[in-house]
Amino acid sequence: MGDAQCRFADDEEGLAAATAEASELIGEANAQLAAVQQLAHQQYGYPPAR
């Protein structure tokens, strides 16, 4: 592979790794948010039931 092709392949791998890491972090953040929302509902009745 030429130098430019190697760099592009590295960029693709880096992008794939960064995307996977970001996805994992978003999943963790969503889980934490759900826990906070549940606690707020239990402790303070917020948000009110519909």
Side-chain angles (χ1 to χ4, degrees):
M1 254 192 279
D3 189 42
Q5 287 175 311
C6 286
R7 248 192 321 240
F8 182 72
D10 289 346
D11 286 350
E12 277 193 324
E13 289 173 13
L15 180 59
T19 300
E21 185 176 352
S23 182
E24 186 177 326
L25 291 172
I26 289 169
E28 290 175 16
N30 282 336
Q32 290 178 359
L33 176 59
V36 168
Q37 287 174 327
Q38 183 179 12
L39 178 66
H41 181 69
Q42 290 173 347
Q43 295 291 317
Y44 308 108
Y46 184 85
R50 293 183 181 194

